[in-house]
Amino acid sequence: MKVPGIIRTISNFLFSSANRELLIFLAFLLLSGIFWLVMTLNETYTREVKINVHITHVPKNVIITSGDQDSVRVTICDKGFNLINIIYGINSQPIEVDFERHAESHGIGHLSSNDLRRLIESKLPASTKLEAIKPDKLTFYYNYGERKKVPVILQSNVTPQDMLFISKTTLSPDSVIIYASRHKLDSIKWVTTEEINRTDVRDTLVVNTRLQRINGVKMVPDNVTAHFYTDILTEESIDDVPIVGINMPKGKVLRTFPTKVTVHFVTGMKNYRKIAPQDFLVVADYNEFSKDPSGKCTITLRQKPDGITRASLANTKVDYLIEEQY
């Protein structure tokens, strides 16, 4: 079919008596929608918007360590048409705070509420009413490159599915560089992640999480990746764990019967393959069993490998002899 024929067919379809009524209805619907939109946007509204803060004219030897006040939230009131322009325009134009003007001694700078209000109002149309600012003033922190490396501590509440358990967790990186005042650097021994909450985990879980912010402290990087590894729970035991005598008097040697013991525990299938008898430490303490009137030697589990739970000894008392060593 040629192009004129196609156009004629479409025209006949659209302007048939039945479709003509549909087109008229759609036209009125479009017009009413436009009128409704115009009337709605002509109303006055109050909205809260976020404005980013950017510190300018920072000397090359200065590190800005603030992190908790890199933006402010303002409540503004205006007609809908103006609010649309403000909301989409103001986010791309941060407030610029002059470091040289507002920096004070001891690594702290302040921007008063009046100065902050002036900066914000300079970005708003004359018709816009500024009702509230949070926070109502700005404080920023800086230093001259003082830093140190600290470990990261994971905060998490991760629960696996039934018959599974979290066999291992890792952080990457496991330490970060912090920049702060000398006093803060001396007082901070570690930093923590934001809390990770997950339930019903069935496989390896990888979560990118931010670090908990500390007022006046810059962290590099400010986020880490946490890995949670799952494994299938199994009840197992390992034989031939030697019994070691401790606190023995000089010249005396402990002989137990038996000399080795079995340890029962719960762990994961993957972890069980890596466990050896030398990973456990079973001891008989002379200071304790020498006072036992039963003549038996009490043994205890003092050390066990990571990743096992409910560890217990098959025997807690054994026979013994004490030999003199010459």
Side-chain angles (χ1 to χ4, degrees), residues 106-323:
H106 309 297
I108 301 177
H110 294 286
L111 185 67
S112 68
S113 56
N114 289 335
D115 288 339
L116 180 59
R117 177 174 284 271
R118 263 194 304 271
L119 282 175
I120 296 173
E121 287 178 340
S122 68
K123 294 185 173 296
L124 299 176
S127 62
T128 304
K129 180 181 179 182
L130 179 58
E131 295 190 342
I133 307 173
K134 299 177 184 178
D136 61 351
K137 58 184 177 181
L138 283 177
T139 300
F140 62 89
Y141 299 87
Y142 66 93
N143 74 3
Y144 294 95
E146 296 93 339
R147 64 188 184 273
K148 80 173 185 179
K149 192 174 186 178
V150 295
V152 178
I153 294 179
L154 176 65
Q155 293 191 113
S156 64
N157 183 21
V158 177
T159 306
Q161 289 184 345
D162 291 341
M163 299 307 296
L164 295 176
F165 80 115
I166 304 300
S167 60
K168 184 176 69 170
T169 59
T170 63
L171 284 174
S172 179
D174 59 4
S175 57
V176 296
I177 302 295
I178 61 172
Y179 296 82
S181 65
R182 176 51 53 191
H183 172 71
K184 285 185 178 290
L185 288 178
D186 292 340
S187 63
I188 297 174
K189 306 302 180 186
W190 62 81
V191 295
T192 61
T193 66
E194 294 181 347
E195 186 165 356
I196 300 172
N197 294 292
R198 296 288 192 280
T199 58
D200 208 30
V201 176
R202 57 182 295 180
D203 205 346
T204 300
L205 175 66
V206 181
V207 180
N208 187 270
T209 179
R210 296 184 63 86
L211 300 178
Q212 288 277 10
R213 287 183 168 183
I214 303 174
N215 196 23
V217 178
K218 179 180 181 179
M219 306 174 192
V220 180
D222 61 359
N223 62 85
V224 297
T225 302
H227 290 77
F228 299 85
Y229 299 92
T230 59
D231 202 352
I232 301 173
L233 280 174
T234 179
E235 293 187 12
E236 299 291 346
S237 63
I238 193 162
D239 301 324
D240 299 327
V241 178
I243 301 172
V244 179
I246 61 174
N247 296 321
M248 297 299 297
K250 187 176 181 180
K252 295 183 182 293
V253 177
L254 176 67
R255 306 291 186 192
T256 61
F257 305 96
T259 59
K260 298 179 180 179
V261 70
T262 298
V263 180
H264 302 288
F265 52 87
V266 174
T267 188
M269 290 294 295
K270 299 174 186 175
N271 194 46
Y272 174 65
R273 300 187 186 100
K274 306 174 186 176
I275 295 175
Q278 57 267 28
D279 296 327
F280 297 86
L281 176 62
V282 177
V283 302
D285 191 340
Y286 179 84
N287 294 334
E288 295 179 4
F289 70 74
S290 62
K291 301 174 184 177
D292 190 339
S294 69
K296 292 282 188 178
C297 176
T298 301
I299 57 175
T300 57
L301 180 63
R302 290 285 182 89
Q303 177 182 304
K304 63 181 186 298
D306 294 333
I308 73 168
T309 59
R310 292 160 49 187
S312 63
L313 299 174
N315 301 317
T316 57
K317 287 182 178 291
V318 294
D319 294 321
Y320 71 95
L321 288 175
I322 296 179
E323 296 180 353

